[in-house]
């Protein structure tokens, strides 16, 4: 079997655009991957295509050799564009291998250690603004079965936050905690936008709420600053969604800069690289909780890792999505009692419907965090994509 081509397909998903790849082979088996890189989708799609010259004509089973050779030969190493492209193509190769051998990817990585993974919800709050609106949305999410809720209550603050804005944020947190009770995990998102004294000040205010973690309290480009925050606060710190390889995570772990690490399978090098990052974290007795806000293929790949990784703790899960998520792939996500079930189909257990993707062409989007539109993360007609029996009748696969 030899690789013959890499295809890229961009699909509008309202707040962003999903970037999918298909790696084709000469015997008809193809693999799928996802390189969704918010606000730079066309750039990463071109980077995926440029990997063709490293892959066409090679055996798709030689995943480690392809990854090594590609990374070795890129003079300007690391960064989100290269690593996202490499991630997508790498996960597509795992998909091919699993399909060819008739087993799920987790079987190729040592076998399953769990049959389900606990989830927390993101996106559940859209488009709430006032504390009472967040509280009502939180009740709905918990009624759906989620046992953890994550959100950013800090409005459009950047680096610093005023007393009124901070009090408003804490009122929002209090409203949600009171609405859902003490048994639901509360995870507070910082989106990497505060300076050190402000992050510390916020963390001190969050102590009373017994939060599960404070995520990305400072920008991701200074790990010493992150380590300083962690050393000076008493709430757990999570970080890592904007780190792009095992070498980046080595620096984070050596500094003791986080209690939970959050690599993204679409950005940090793919399935094999996340396994290596998880093993490094395990030697520090730290759990991984991958960043997972993107599309169906990234979710499928992350579930493969959840299946076989012993120190995998929590999975980020978007509580709903654009209605056409049900149409553009064969996703079979099953959600029960606050957990997603591990799939057992061959490869990643998912395929793309190219004809449906074409109905939702690329539309440019910009970052919403500082525009007053922070909570507008989902369209008004967003729906759950869990449990296929509640979805639309599947269309014939292409």
């Amino acid at each position: 079997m030899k690789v013959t081509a890499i295809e890229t397909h961009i699909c509008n998903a309202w707040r962003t655009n999903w970037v999918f790849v298909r790696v084709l082979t000469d015997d008809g088996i193809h693999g799928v991957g996802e390189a969704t890189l918010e606000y730079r989708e066309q750039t990463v799609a071109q980077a995926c295509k440029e990997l063709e010259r490293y892959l066409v004509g090679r055996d798709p089973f030689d995943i480690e050799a392809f990854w090594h050779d590609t990374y070795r030969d890129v003079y300007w190493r690391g960064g989100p564009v290269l690593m996202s492209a490499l991630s997508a193509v790498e996960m597509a190769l795992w998909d091919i291998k699993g399909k060819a051998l008739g087993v799920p990817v987790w079987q190729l990585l040592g076998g399953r250690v769990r049959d389900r993974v606990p989830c927390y919800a993101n996106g559940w709050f859209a488009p709430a603004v006032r504390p009472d609106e967040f509280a009502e949305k939180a009740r709905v999410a918990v009624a759906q079965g989620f046992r953890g809720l994550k959100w950013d209550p800090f409005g459009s603050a950047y680096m610093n936050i005023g007393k009124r804005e901070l009090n408003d944020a804490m009122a929002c947190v209090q409203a949600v905690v009171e609405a859902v009770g003490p048994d639901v995990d509360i995870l507070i998102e910082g989106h990497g936008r505060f300076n050190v004294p402000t992050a510390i000040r916020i963390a001190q205010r969050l102590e009373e709420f017994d939060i599960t973690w404070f995520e990305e309290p400072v920008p991701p480009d200074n790990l010493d600053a992150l380590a300083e925050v962690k050393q000076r606060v008493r709430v757990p710190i999570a970080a890592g969604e904007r780190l792009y390889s095992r070498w980046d995570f080595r620096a984070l772990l050596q500094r003791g800069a986080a209690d939970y690490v959050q690599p993204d399978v679409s950005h940090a090098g793919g399935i094999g690289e996340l396994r290596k990052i998880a093993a490094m974290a395990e030697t520090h007795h730290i759990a991984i909780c991958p960043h997972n806000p993107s599309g169906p293929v990234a979710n499928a790949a992350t579930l493969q890792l959840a299946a076989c990784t012993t120190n995998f703790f929590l999975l980020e899960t978007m509580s709903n999505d654009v209605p056409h998520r049900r149409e553009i792939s064969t996703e079979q996500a099953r959600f029960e009692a606050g957990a997603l079930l591990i799939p057992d189909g061959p490869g990643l257990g998912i395929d793309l419907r190219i004809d449906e993707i074409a109905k939702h062409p690329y539309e440019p989007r910009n970052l919403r965090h500082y525009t007053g539109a922070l909570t507008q993360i989902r369209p008004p007609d967003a729906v759950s994509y869990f449990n296929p029996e509640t979805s639309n009748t599947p269309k014939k696969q292409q």
Side-chain angles (χ1 to χ4, degrees), residues 7 17 35 65 74 105 108 143 150 173 209 244 248 276 300 305 337 339 356:
E7 297 177 351
N17 294 270
V74 176
V105 169
L108 302 175
K150 185 173 84 173
V173 176
F209 299 110
Y244 305 116
D248 285 355
K276 293 170 183 176
L305 287 159
E356 293 295 329

Side-chain angles (χ1 to χ4, degrees), residues 114 116-122 141 145-150 183-185 187 213 289-290 292 299 302-303 306 312-319 333-342 385-386:
R114 61 179 62 84
R116 62 191 60 215
V117 60
C119 302
Y120 66 86
N122 197 347
F146 287 104
R147 308 306 299 164
L149 304 174
K150 185 173 84 173
D183 296 330
V184 174
D185 287 326
L187 308 100
W213 69 54
C289 306
N292 183 43
N299 186 65
T302 306
L303 283 172
F312 196 113
F313 176 44
L314 287 176
L315 175 65
E316 180 173 19
T317 308
M318 304 310 292
S319 63
R334 298 196 63 89
F335 181 75
E336 293 181 2
L340 276 176
L341 277 57
I342 302 300
Y385 55 90
F386 303 127

